[in-house]
Amino acid sequence: MTDDITPDLPPEPVSPPDDGPTRAGFVALIGEPNAGKSTLLNQMVGAKVSIVTHKVQTTRARIRGIAMHGPAQIVFVDTPGIFRPRRRLDRSMVAAAWGGASDADIVLVLIEAHRGLTDGTQAILDQLVNLGKGTPVALIINKIDRVKAETLLALSQQLNEAYPFAETFMISAMRGHGCQQLRGWLARSLPESPWLYPEDQIADLPMRMIAAEITREKLTLRLHEEIPYQLTVETEAWEEKDDGSARVEQVVYVARQGHKGIVLGKGGETIKAVGQAARVELEEFMGRRVHLFLQVRVRENWENEAERYDEIGLNFRDGDG
């Protein structure tokens, strides 16, 4: 389910400074699947730009969300969760995550407070030594409302003994608690630089891909455990209409014939409901009418087709075993 975006403190007014330097840079969010990276990205940007569901591994590519804080422009990079890869798609996703971290000015490592220092988190900490020297790495303990204060303090000490973090923040990405303090630290810590994007831009992602991600989220939320990881959505056609609306045609690719029937649903009710939900959210995002048309096609080997990886923003060669 999607999370509400309700910051605990109002953001500071944003305007270009009359004098003094501006700051800008990239902040990578890394962690295990379902640690709350996408929720934090949406919270920081103040709008939904990344898929948020209760299922793990829903973020596939690196998605950039842009937040302003005083004279600073913070470009957040939401990366796929880091896990032990088994398939080509998995390997490409993990490579995208580490690529986002290595290219960033600051890295945020998210962990879930109630899970603590897991084997997966320890594996991430072990890999952090491969980042460029001087890259600040901050610890973000998320979902703090799930544990007691003394547990949080003990966990913070344990994690800081495991890795020399530059800073530690305890937050609830869903509720916004602690996010304003994190935003302020990031704004102060980024390098002096001209802004990288227009002030009113909130995401660095083509609308075709945003539209496909919205539809994939609705499918992920509606379908059972197996199907979401064996389907992908592509925007096949986009037509701007004279009345200001957009006609969007998308294809849902599934790996098996049996999956097609599940996605369609009895009498087409599932794909119809998904299309309606995706259309409503896309219209809210774009601020205008959208005519959305969905098709479901079977491509048994789509996870091994380079073209599919290009469409979802992954590097096909990163999946080589």
Side-chain angles (χ1 to χ4, degrees):
M1 296 179 63
T2 55
D3 295 319
D4 291 333
I5 298 173
T6 52
D8 54 340
L9 293 172
E12 294 183 2
V14 174
S15 59
D18 295 329
D19 51 29
T22 58
R23 295 180 180 272
F26 295 93
V27 177
L29 309 174
I30 65 171
E32 291 189 275
N34 218 24
K37 299 181 295 296
S38 296
T39 303
L40 179 59
L41 171 68
N42 294 339
Q43 177 68 252
M44 288 296 197
V45 173
K48 184 176 176 182
V49 295
S50 189
I51 281 184
V52 180
T53 80
H54 63 284
K55 293 178 167 57
V56 300
Q57 299 171 24
T58 46
T59 299
R60 285 179 173 169
R62 284 177 281 180
I63 298 173
R64 292 174 179 171
I66 304 159
M68 302 299 302
H69 190 87
Q73 186 178 71
I74 311 168
V75 184
F76 292 94
V77 183
D78 181 18
T79 66
I82 297 174
F83 55 99
R84 188 180 299 278
R86 295 178 296 174
R87 306 168 297 165
R88 171 180 284 277
L89 180 62
D90 295 342
R91 292 191 291 271
S92 293
M93 288 165 59
V94 171
W98 282 116
S102 63
D103 294 339
D105 297 288
I106 299 173
V107 174
L108 305 182
V109 179
L110 272 75
I111 72 123
E112 295 175 278
H114 59 288
R115 295 188 65 203
L117 181 54
T118 64
D119 291 342
T121 296
Q122 184 62 60
I124 292 172
L125 300 185
D126 292 341
Q127 289 293 319
L128 288 176
V129 296
N130 296 323
L131 294 179
K133 290 184 178 180
T135 302
V137 181
L139 171 64
I140 312 298
I141 302 178
N142 190 24
K143 306 180 183 180
I144 57 174
D145 49 328
R146 296 195 180 188
V147 299
K148 296 180 179 179
E150 55 267 28
T151 302
L152 281 174
L153 294 175
L155 177 60
S156 174
Q157 181 177 347
Q158 180 188 19
L159 287 163
N160 277 276
E161 289 174 353
Y163 185 85
F165 290 103
E167 293 286 343
T168 297
F169 295 89
M170 300 183 185
I171 71 166
S172 168
M174 182 177 70
R175 300 181 183 278
H177 299 322
C179 291
Q180 186 73 350
Q181 291 87 342
L182 172 59
R183 188 185 289 109
W185 178 77
L186 291 170
R188 295 189 299 272
S189 302
L190 287 173
E192 292 186 10
S193 165
W195 290 343
L196 306 173
Y197 297 91
E199 183 180 342
D200 59 352
Q201 186 171 336
I202 63 170
D204 178 20
L205 201 64
M207 275 306 307
R208 294 169 66 98
M209 188 178 292
I210 290 175
E213 286 291 276
I214 287 173
T215 300
R216 187 167 68 89
E217 179 193 53
K218 304 311 175 189
L219 286 162
T220 301
L221 290 170
R222 189 171 181 94
L223 301 176
H224 65 72
E225 295 298 324
E226 293 300 322
I227 301 294
Y229 310 114
Q230 298 186 47
L231 64 76
T232 190
V233 179
E234 295 181 12
T235 301
E236 194 172 58
W238 189 295
E239 180 186 358
E240 296 290 343
K241 309 294 286 186
D242 292 338
D243 63 0
S245 66
R247 176 188 171 92
V248 181
E249 299 178 18
Q250 295 181 335
V251 178
V252 181
Y253 288 112
V254 294
R256 300 177 186 176
Q257 187 66 39
H259 291 174
K260 181 176 181 179
I262 295 172
V263 172
L264 289 172
K266 185 178 180 180
E269 63 180 12
T270 299
I271 196 66
K272 181 179 180 181
V274 166
Q276 288 176 339
R279 178 185 57 78
V280 168
E281 184 160 320
L282 191 53
E283 287 183 336
E284 291 177 353
F285 188 88
M286 296 174 61
R288 57 193 175 108
R289 287 188 64 195
V290 174
H291 310 281
L292 179 62
F293 300 87
L294 302 180
Q295 296 183 47
V296 184
R297 298 177 190 167
V298 178
R299 291 187 75 98
E300 295 183 357
N301 204 36
W302 76 261
E303 288 190 18
N304 291 305
E305 297 176 356
E307 184 180 355
R308 305 282 80 79
Y309 284 66
D310 291 340
E311 286 290 334
I312 60 179
L314 291 175
N315 189 321
F316 181 77
R317 293 186 180 275
D318 283 344
D320 291 342

